[in-house]
Amino acid sequence: MKELKDYVITIPDFPEPGVLFRDITGILQDKDGLHLAIDKLEECLKDLEFDMIVAPESRGFIFGMPIAYNLNKPFVPIRKKGKLPRETVSASYALEYGIAEMEIHKDAIWQGARVVIVDDLIATGGTTDAMIRLVEQLGGEVVKIVFVMELEGLEGRKALSGYQIDSILKYPGK
């Protein structure tokens, strides 16, 4: 049986020379790879008491939604600015090429809700930090953050110190 890392496709020199891009579409395109990823993420949540799963557009949706369904929890989407129809709160975060914003519905998280954040990748931690700020602004408590992959060389965990983090696959570089 294959391990989850066997489904990740490594593409050298993308998007720029010297970068090893870790492509998750190999996981998604294989039924066994997808099952394995979801199962391993769910294992990270074993025995954890929590109320809901929050995940960002779009790859976080891919992994967060089936976990919420399997564990009978609500799923709360965080989307790019301007994509949610009701009243929202927003948080900005830095990108390599500028600043972006994400939003969550203002009524999506109740006071004291115990929240798990699910995403595909932790790199610098900037996007996840913005999600944490949104959850906490609405009165929720982030009790765990789970990722499929972690790029350890970008030290995203440092930006998220104080939070419980699990990643299934860890890559030493950037």
Side-chain angles (χ1 to χ4, degrees):
M1 180 172 208
K2 290 169 93 174
E3 294 182 38
L4 189 60
K5 67 179 181 175
D6 299 328
Y7 295 98
V8 176
I9 301 163
T10 301
I11 302 163
D13 299 321
F14 182 83
E16 59 188 47
V19 173
L20 292 174
F21 186 83
R22 309 298 180 169
D23 182 8
I24 63 160
T25 59
I27 293 171
L28 304 177
Q29 293 171 339
D30 187 289
K31 64 180 177 62
D32 295 329
L34 183 57
H35 273 273
L36 188 56
I38 299 301
D39 290 347
K40 290 210 170 279
L41 287 166
E42 283 182 19
E43 283 175 25
C44 294
L45 304 176
K46 185 180 174 193
D47 301 324
L48 180 70
E49 290 186 34
F50 66 99
D51 298 309
M52 64 180 61
I53 290 181
V54 169
E57 179 178 5
S58 66
R59 292 181 308 248
F61 289 12
I62 293 168
F63 297 103
M65 180 62 75
I67 295 168
Y69 177 84
N70 289 344
L71 300 180
N72 198 30
K73 302 289 183 182
F75 176 83
V76 176
I78 293 181
R79 301 216 47 204
K80 295 172 185 160
K81 186 168 180 60
K83 299 290 184 179
L84 292 171
R86 300 191 320 269
E87 188 176 0
T88 63
V89 294
S90 65
S92 60
Y93 58 100
L95 298 169
E96 305 161 30
Y97 49 85
I99 301 287
E101 273 188 89
M102 54 178 45
E103 296 179 320
I104 188 171
H105 279 131
K106 195 172 185 178
D107 62 356
I109 296 175
W110 61 85
Q111 190 70 33
R114 295 174 53 82
V115 176
V116 168
I117 295 175
V118 176
D119 205 355
D120 70 320
L121 175 72
I122 179 174
T124 65
T127 304
T128 306
D129 177 65
M131 289 188 284
I132 291 167
R133 286 185 278 129
L134 288 172
V135 168
E136 292 177 349
Q137 180 180 349
L138 294 177
E141 174 191 1
V142 175
V143 294
K144 191 154 195 182
I145 309 165
V146 294
F147 301 97
V148 176
M149 296 187 295
E150 178 175 354
L151 303 179
E152 293 177 311
L154 294 175
E155 300 182 332
R157 281 181 186 257
K158 285 184 180 178
L160 307 174
S161 64
Y163 293 93
Q164 188 178 352
I165 300 169
D166 275 337
S167 53
I168 299 168
L169 300 173
K170 296 180 182 180
Y171 295 97
K174 300 177 180 185

